[in-house]
Amino acid sequence: MTAPLKLCVRRSEVAAPSGHVVDVSVVLPSEIQHIEAAVELMARHCFAGHPSTSRLRFRLQVTLSEALANAIICGNGQDPSKHVTIQAQCRSDAIELSVADEGTGFSPDQITAPMTGAEIESQCGRGLFLIRHLADHVAFNEEGNAICITLRRP
Amino acid sequence: MEFSATQHDSGVVVVRVEGQLIVGNRQELKTLVEDAIEEGQRRFLIDFENTGYIDSSGLGALVSISKKIRDQGGTLRLANLNEDLHSLFELTKLDTLFAIDDSTDQALTQF
């Protein structure tokens, strides 16, 4: 029996010099079955009223899905009492996504993807690599428990 | 249904991925293929025509499936990856591990 999906959306719209800005935040429990719904909810709000391409949508879906999986599994240890917070600022030139968990953080520089030799058959370790290659910019907070992903609009 | 399997006239098991292949459902795909291997199936084609996106856990599941099939002397081919999905295999160099075809028809001639 899984807990009902609980997503909280806060949407604010302000006029800015760069144009229409939408801020969206979503909080979800640390259960992997909520990832797909959270990703689709964020995509719907981030692309509402802004130009989009299928490539940009794909990049958002994959990078956010990866960031949420890392936060839920590695950060919060799939403890459903802990939460993951997504914040997005959707501007006309870019989407900035932040994913934060309640864990103690990690050192992103120590993660390498299995790309060569027998490592290619590893089942894990490609998530952060995909985020870095699909995003235009990636940054972490000092503790290592929050990631900020920037996707520029075409 | 996210995953479905049918047996082609040639005997190849064609598995269709409808929607996403991600951390939340990858085990279902692994179980489906493992059960078919247990039943004696050895030739598999995974069709991504109706797939939205794949995450690294989904890629990991495909790697695991590939190894299990190979260990049993079987064959796995992938087909119908669109440009976005194919880019994931190229970025991770998994395009060197998998046999990838443009279409299911093309793939079925390669077994």
Side-chain angles (χ1 to χ4, degrees):
Chain A
M1 184 72 180
T2 58
L5 183 62
K6 293 179 181 173
L7 298 177
C8 173
V9 180
R10 296 185 182 87
R11 184 183 173 100
S12 61
E13 300 186 30
V14 297
S18 59
H20 190 65
V21 177
V22 177
D23 291 310
V24 186
S25 71
V26 174
V27 178
L28 65 154
S30 297
E31 295 171 297
I32 56 174
Q33 68 265 33
H34 297 318
I35 291 176
E36 185 177 2
V39 168
E40 290 316 304
L41 186 63
M42 292 302 292
R44 193 160 69 239
H45 284 274
C46 287
F47 294 123
H50 285 292
S52 175
T53 62
S54 61
R55 178 65 181 168
L56 179 62
R57 180 175 285 270
F58 180 81
R59 290 166 60 214
L60 182 144
Q61 289 169 323
V62 175
T63 55
L64 182 54
S65 185
E66 294 292 354
L68 289 173
N70 287 343
I72 288 171
I73 297 169
C74 304
N76 288 346
Q78 298 193 69
D79 178 348
S81 70
K82 294 182 177 178
H83 292 82
V84 173
T85 302
I86 314 168
Q87 292 181 300
Q89 185 178 74
C90 310
R91 307 189 306 267
S92 58
D93 63 331
I95 298 168
E96 284 192 3
L97 298 164
S98 163
V99 176
D101 60 58
E102 298 181 45
T104 54
F106 75 111
S107 300
D109 293 340
Q110 293 179 359
I111 306 294
T112 56
M115 304 280 282
T116 55
E119 282 187 351
I120 196 83
E121 297 211 73
S122 173
Q123 291 182 49
C124 54
R126 299 179 179 88
L128 193 53
F129 174 84
L130 284 180
I131 292 174
R132 284 185 162 132
H133 280 78
L134 294 173
D136 291 299
H137 186 256
V138 178
F140 295 87
N141 68 349
E142 203 166 309
E143 292 87 347
N145 65 357
I147 184 171
C148 183
I149 297 166
T150 303
L151 302 167
R152 293 198 188 91
R153 294 184 194 273
Chain B
M1 183 178 284
E2 290 169 316
F3 308 109
S4 62
T6 55
Q7 193 151 26
H8 185 259
D9 293 343
S10 62
V12 174
V13 177
V14 181
V15 180
R16 292 182 175 81
V17 179
E18 312 276 348
Q20 329 315 339
L21 173 55
I22 56 178
V23 64
N25 65 9
R26 62 175 168 166
Q27 190 56 45
E28 291 172 41
L29 178 64
K30 288 174 72 173
T31 301
L32 187 155
V33 173
E34 285 165 6
D35 287 351
I37 292 172
E38 194 73 19
E39 291 166 7
Q41 303 296 336
R42 293 292 182 269
R43 295 184 295 162
F44 292 86
L45 167 60
I46 302 184
D47 180 4
F48 293 94
E49 184 175 16
N50 295 314
T51 307
Y53 61 96
I54 304 173
D55 70 5
S56 62
S57 294
L59 293 173
L62 293 172
V63 170
S64 170
I65 288 167
S66 167
K67 190 168 188 311
K68 285 196 169 77
I69 293 171
R70 199 170 61 244
D71 287 349
Q72 296 298 321
T75 306
L76 169 67
R77 303 191 76 88
L78 313 182
N80 281 324
L81 292 163
N82 65 29
E83 197 175 331
D84 287 327
L85 294 176
H86 201 275
S87 73
L88 299 179
F89 287 78
E90 288 176 340
L91 279 171
T92 55
K93 301 207 183 302
L94 288 174
D95 58 336
T96 64
L97 183 68
F98 292 102
I100 299 174
D101 298 291
D102 290 342
S103 68
T104 50
D105 285 347
Q106 186 186 67
L108 286 166
T109 66
Q110 303 298 314
F111 282 93

